[in-house]
Amino acid sequence: RERLEAELQSLAEPDAAGMSAANERILQLDREIATAQAALDALQAETEALGSASAGAGDAHAGASREQTAADAQLATLKQVQAAAEEDAPLHAWLERHQLAALPRFWQKIRIEHGWETAVESVLRERLHALEHDDSSALGQDRPPVKASLFASGTAAAADALPGFAPLQDKVQVMDARIAGALSDWFAGVYASEGIPAAAQRAALPAGALLVNREGDQFTRYTVSFHAPDPADAGILARQAEIEELEGRCKQLAQRAADTAAEAGRIEAQLAERSAALDQARATLAAAQQEKHAAQIEALKLGQALERYCERSAQIREEM
């Protein structure tokens, strides 16, 4: 009996408060796990959406870059063709000799209303490449080897009015006021015509007046001159207009490529941030689940210890 009493006294009764605390901790961890799982699901959805947005932004940037590259290549080709129009070897040597090669050409200082480029080329011909030189008499001892034109700076005179017709000069925009005088001289008495003018219209023209249609054909009172472009100068004005339009488009495409790159970078940064948050959420959930598992083991141990205590205590009392 003394032995049984000693054993009964030596039995350690499990901490009921610890058991209650372990169960409460398990319930708390269940709530934390539910919250962590909801956050994980939300982050997963955000990450997937950002992944799709990132792919779309990447495609948009790639498309914009391809367009920009193609436009830049087209612009470079047009500029090469335009530069080749000035590569007249005999005249180039003469221009170099008189230190005129670096001067801009007449055509570079004008802009033409769309559709009237050929008409203006028909009137100007080699004068498209005219150079500004205020003292042409100084060049009289060394004539150019091919056709060439010079002009002095001067103001423009008002274009002659002709009822029913607009001066062809009105189709030309002057980019440098110093060429206005030469433009006025070269387009004096020259008028724009839509299509082939009727015989009655031509008959009413004053002497020296000239009608020019969009195709470059020229009409006077009694004559018709059908235009054929000079291979060296064909399309030089239209090409210049296309170059300037393409330059504007290249700037827009470059801006668009930069914008799409910035947008792709912004989305990529968001995706990286969300991915990092997703990894952290997974780690938080895993830690909570692991802690819950440890709490469940602790509660199980406490429960088993309490059960053993109760069974052994009952046995000892029964033996006593």
Side-chain angles (χ1 to χ4, degrees):
R1 182 179 183 84
E2 288 176 357
R3 179 182 62 79
L4 291 173
E5 286 179 351
E7 182 180 355
L8 182 60
Q9 290 177 0
S10 66
L11 288 178
E13 183 177 359
D15 184 8
M19 182 68 179
S20 177
N23 289 328
E24 182 62 32
R25 181 58 180 157
I26 290 172
L27 292 176
Q28 181 183 351
L29 287 170
D30 281 336
R31 291 190 293 271
E32 291 180 6
I33 289 172
T35 301
Q37 185 64 56
L40 178 64
D41 292 341
L43 285 170
Q44 184 69 43
E46 288 181 27
T47 303
E48 291 175 357
L50 285 171
S52 299
S54 178
D59 291 342
H61 175 59
S65 297
R66 285 193 299 270
E67 284 190 55
Q68 181 190 2
T69 300
D72 287 342
Q74 183 182 0
L75 178 60
T77 300
L78 286 175
K79 285 184 174 180
Q80 288 177 353
V81 174
Q82 198 75 324
E86 297 298 335
E87 293 299 325
D88 188 333
L91 185 60
H92 184 75
W94 183 81
L95 293 173
E96 288 282 1
R97 196 159 56 247
H98 292 282
Q99 299 180 348
L100 299 174
L103 294 177
R105 305 309 194 257
F106 188 84
W107 65 265
Q108 295 174 314
K109 299 182 178 184
I110 58 176
R111 298 295 178 266
I112 314 302
E113 182 179 322
H114 181 66
W116 290 96
E117 295 87 355
T118 303
V120 173
E121 289 177 6
S122 171
V123 173
L124 290 177
R125 290 289 184 174
E126 73 279 357
R127 291 175 294 192
L128 284 167
H129 304 276
L131 296 168
E132 182 179 350
H133 196 282
D134 290 327
D135 187 12
S136 57
S137 61
L139 306 176
Q141 301 302 318
D142 183 17
R143 293 175 57 82
V146 294
K147 289 182 178 181
S149 296
L150 302 173
F151 67 90
S153 60
T155 58
D160 296 332
L162 184 65
F165 294 96
L168 186 59
Q169 183 177 339
D170 292 349
K171 309 294 184 183
V172 182
Q173 179 184 1
V174 175
M175 308 303 293
D176 184 346
R178 292 178 299 179
I179 72 169
L183 185 72
S184 178
D185 284 351
W186 287 338
F187 281 83
V190 181
Y191 302 91
S193 173
E194 292 289 354
I196 298 177
Q201 290 177 309
R202 292 170 54 195
L205 290 174
L210 181 68
L211 297 180
V212 184
N213 62 14
R214 291 176 183 266
E215 291 73 27
D217 303 329
Q218 300 181 5
F219 306 88
T220 67
R221 285 187 298 179
Y222 303 109
T223 66
V224 176
S225 299
F226 292 103
H227 175 65
D230 185 339
D233 296 331
I236 192 170
L237 295 176
R239 190 162 51 246
Q240 182 62 26
E242 186 178 359
I243 286 174
E244 292 178 359
E245 180 181 353
L246 196 55
E247 284 176 338
R249 183 164 179 264
C250 285
K251 289 181 180 179
Q252 292 177 349
L253 289 173
Q255 185 60 51
R256 179 184 166 198
D259 291 343
T260 53
E263 178 66 9
R266 184 185 65 80
I267 294 176
E268 188 65 26
Q270 286 184 339
L271 179 60
E273 188 270 332
R274 292 289 87 187
S275 296
L278 183 62
D279 291 340
Q280 182 60 43
R282 289 195 181 105
T284 299
L285 178 61
Q289 290 173 334
Q290 185 175 1
E291 188 175 354
K292 177 186 175 182
H293 180 66
Q296 288 174 327
I297 292 175
E298 180 64 23
L300 179 61
K301 289 180 178 178
L302 289 173
Q304 290 174 342
L306 180 60
E307 184 179 353
R308 289 194 300 270
Y309 172 79
C310 292
E311 289 180 355
R312 185 55 183 159
S313 297
Q315 289 175 352
I316 289 174
R317 289 190 179 89
E318 184 179 353
E319 292 176 9
M320 288 174 65

